[in-house]
Amino acid sequence: MIFNFFRKGLLPGFLICFAVLVLTGCGAKKSNKSGVSPAAEDKSKKIAVFIPGVMSGSPIYEMLAAGVNRAAAEQPDVTVTVIEGGFNQAEWEKRITALAASGIYGLIVSSNPSLPAIAQSVSVKFPEQQFLLLDGEVMGNPRIYSLRYNQREQAFMAGHIAALVTLGMPAGEAARRVGLVAGQEYPAMNDIILPGYLAGARSVDPSFTVDFRVVGNWFDAGAGASLAADMIRGGVAVILCIAGGANEGVVQAAFEAGAKAVWFDTNGYGIRPGTVVGSSVLHQDKAAYEQTKRYLEGTLPFGRAEMVGVSDGFVDFVEDDPRYAGAVSPEIRSKQAELVGRIRSGELRLGE
Ligand code: RBF
């Protein structure tokens, strides 16, 4: 028999086939404890993070990538690919469709309130693709999990400090008006953040109003600066900025005019110490970490939409930074601390 093999020149071919089977693992029929084939398991460990914009200047996106990377680093063989979608919002659906079509990624992670509609539409064409969406809400799609933050609480705390600081400024008694510069208008801004900010200011004094201006994009620091300067000329002393890369211009204009700024999403006291008088933050890095971990452990409840706020430890106002103490008087800090304490304890409930 063996002799026949040699004689017919078949042995080398047999050896090559054997080597190929061993190297590719095809012949071994390996399976893991979950019974998932190795190829499928590999895909579930490949995660794409789609940044709808750019990371620079938008800490909400930097926190997103950091959290996903941290969860991935804790497990073997998980890879994370971060893709910046740029500022042309018309391109985002095409880019995410291409990611889903590639079939490479078990999970696409992203963040902002426009992503649910995009993911829903991509999901129709690629029904197997799974999504983890933060800072947005979509319910009932078995492939999409979403988590949003209680931004009424976040904005209320920003409005409260803005009003307190305004009243302490020379022009504050005359103009009970606080400023808000946004990158663009969107439902979460118009229906939650802006009203929450106004309600926070009015909890200090019911006669407060908001001067609300829109940059029209998330990067133009020059436009942010000129909107802020115009507001300040009109009597506004404190401005909340939620405009990505344009925030820098708002803070600079406030600094130059002796006005103040309130920062959103991350601790901004270090941006311009003395000018930034409040930081209403989201712990998106923690949320991205925890939800990615759930995904990797197979427990992320796709189909559900969850919300977290101050009492859950995902929304907060930063009080323990010495630059806050350096920028704001002890009287104002103690009034702000009282308000924040009432939200943390659940005594003051603001709704969603
Ligand atoms: N926030 C940013 O900080 N940077 C951005 O580039 C950015 N782009 C956005 C694009 C769209 C279409 C929408 C609806 C929101 C965007 N936001 C951006 C706002 C973000 O989702 C969130 O509301 C704010 O960061 C306040 O938490």
Side-chain angles (χ1 to χ4, degrees), residues 257-268:
K260 305 291 178 187
V262 175
W263 200 255
F264 218 59
D265 294 342
T266 48
N267 181 338

Side-chain angles (χ1 to χ4, degrees), residues 1-22:
M1 170 75 173
I2 289 182
F3 173 75
N4 270 347
F5 241 84
F6 275 112
R7 206 174 49 135
K8 293 183 182 167
L10 290 175
L11 186 60
F14 172 78
L15 286 176
I16 287 168
C17 283
F18 183 72
V20 165
L21 286 175
V22 168

Side-chain angles (χ1 to χ4, degrees), residues 66-78:
V68 175
N69 274 317
R70 183 154 76 92
E74 286 181 1
Q75 308 228 5
D77 308 326
V78 179

Side-chain angles (χ1 to χ4, degrees), residues 181-183 213-231 233 243 245-251 253:
V181 173
R213 311 276 180 109
V214 178
V215 178
N217 62 60
W218 297 90
F219 55 83
D220 190 344
S226 65
L227 288 177
D230 195 52
M231 271 185 184
R233 278 193 295 274
N247 290 339
E248 210 182 293
V250 174
V251 174

Side-chain angles (χ1 to χ4, degrees), residues 58 60-61 89 112-114 135 151 184 186 218 242 264-265:
S58 294
I60 194 161
Y61 296 153
Q89 295 176 13
N112 98 28
S114 74
D135 183 26
Q151 294 202 294
Q184 71 182 84
Y186 49 102
W218 297 90
I242 308 179
F264 218 59
D265 294 342

Side-chain angles (χ1 to χ4, degrees), residues 67-145:
V68 175
N69 274 317
R70 183 154 76 92
E74 286 181 1
Q75 308 228 5
D77 308 326
V78 179
T79 62
V80 176
T81 306
V82 179
I83 298 114
E84 287 189 321
F87 290 116
N88 183 355
Q89 295 176 13
E91 290 284 318
W92 294 350
E93 182 162 341
K94 246 188 286 172
R95 301 285 300 272
I96 295 174
T97 302
L99 286 177
S102 77
I104 294 172
Y105 304 102
L107 184 72
I108 297 175
V109 186
S110 195
S111 153
N112 98 28
S114 74
L115 262 296
I118 294 174
Q120 287 275 43
S121 156
V122 175
S123 182
V124 172
K125 287 171 273 176
F126 298 95
E128 295 304 313
Q129 182 63 58
Q130 294 184 307
F131 292 91
L132 160 56
L133 303 180
L134 301 181
D135 183 26
E137 183 169 57
V138 52
M139 245 176 279
N141 184 317
R143 294 285 188 265
I144 308 178
Y145 168 85

